[in-house]
Amino acid sequence: MNQDVLNTFYALLTVAGQLGLVLCGALWLLRGRTPWWSQLRQSVAPAALWLATLVAGVAVFGSLQLSLGAGYTPCTMCWYQRIAIYPLVVVCGVAALRRDSAVRFTVWPLAAIGAGISTWHYIHERVPETVGGSCDPTAPCSILWIWKLHYISIPMMAFTTMALIATLVAMAPRSEHAEATSSDTQTSPATPRGSHE
């Protein structure tokens, strides 16, 4: 298959992810005025961790295809973004099998670090003169291997991936153990003063 067609496909996946994020954000902001947010969350929640695993898996496959298949040389910042994304396939997959929403405490820091690096990389691509020297002389971070729809490049794809995974993990239902612990804490009556005397 033509690499430009694949790049366009990756860009369209990115746009779809961004539209999903905008929809989630808008409905979350309107959550007090409309039931749409709770309806969306209830419909997505059972599969949220599996969807996060799928998003991470597609990102890993895409990054490997771009470097091994298309021959795009990853720069230093590309590698740092991959370090943040690659473990999420296993982390989210295991959490989906265990129905463990507490994985958010692992996913969110990784996603935040990856999104931060992606943002810096995107700035480096767009305005390299403001950043200074190249991060890697042999594979400069300012090279645009992909530029679609006048704004989508590889770091934008990575940023969208991180944001989407973090959002999906946030939408996952609370695990049964966490719910039981919090309900025990909330429903246990306070011990009357002097009862142990």
Side-chain angles (χ1 to χ4, degrees):
M1 183 181 284
N2 187 306
Q3 186 60 45
D4 190 57
V5 173
L6 277 174
N7 293 348
T8 302
F9 174 69
Y10 297 147
L12 292 176
L13 281 179
T14 303
V15 170
Q18 291 170 346
L19 290 174
L21 288 167
V22 168
L23 175 66
C24 286
L27 293 180
W28 184 81
L29 288 173
L30 296 171
R31 67 192 181 281
R33 300 176 186 169
T34 172
W36 294 340
W37 167 251
S38 59
Q39 291 172 358
L40 174 67
R41 187 168 184 179
Q42 285 173 6
S43 60
V44 172
L49 293 175
W50 288 113
L51 289 171
T53 306
L54 177 64
V55 171
V58 169
V60 168
F61 173 80
S63 71
L64 291 173
Q65 191 281 321
L66 290 174
S67 56
L68 300 176
Y72 300 164
T73 304
C75 67
T76 301
M77 282 196 257
C78 290
W79 280 115
Y80 293 156
Q81 290 163 79
R82 289 180 180 198
I83 289 168
I85 291 175
Y86 284 17
L88 293 179
V89 179
V90 176
V91 169
C92 291
V94 171
L97 285 170
R98 298 184 63 205
R99 298 179 183 170
D100 181 12
S101 65
V103 73
R104 64 187 179 278
F105 297 115
T106 303
V107 170
W108 289 344
L110 280 172
I113 291 166
I117 295 168
S118 299
T119 301
W120 182 246
H121 190 184
Y122 192 79
I123 292 169
H124 199 98
E125 280 184 336
R126 302 310 307 137
V127 280
E129 63 277 4
T130 64
V131 177
S134 174
C135 66
D136 185 346
T138 56
C141 297
S142 55
I143 290 181
L144 284 172
W145 292 110
I146 295 176
W147 187 246
K148 296 289 182 181
L149 305 174
H150 303 291
Y151 81 102
I152 293 180
S153 64
I154 292 173
M156 177 60 72
M157 293 176 184
F159 178 88
T160 305
T161 298
M162 296 295 183
L164 196 54
I165 290 170
T167 302
L168 286 166
V169 168
M171 295 174 76
R174 283 296 196 85
S175 58
E176 294 170 13
H177 176 69
E179 286 177 1
T181 305
S182 68
S183 65
D184 287 347
T185 305
Q186 292 172 357
T187 58
S188 61
T191 305
R193 188 174 286 186
S195 61
H196 297 293
E197 295 174 357

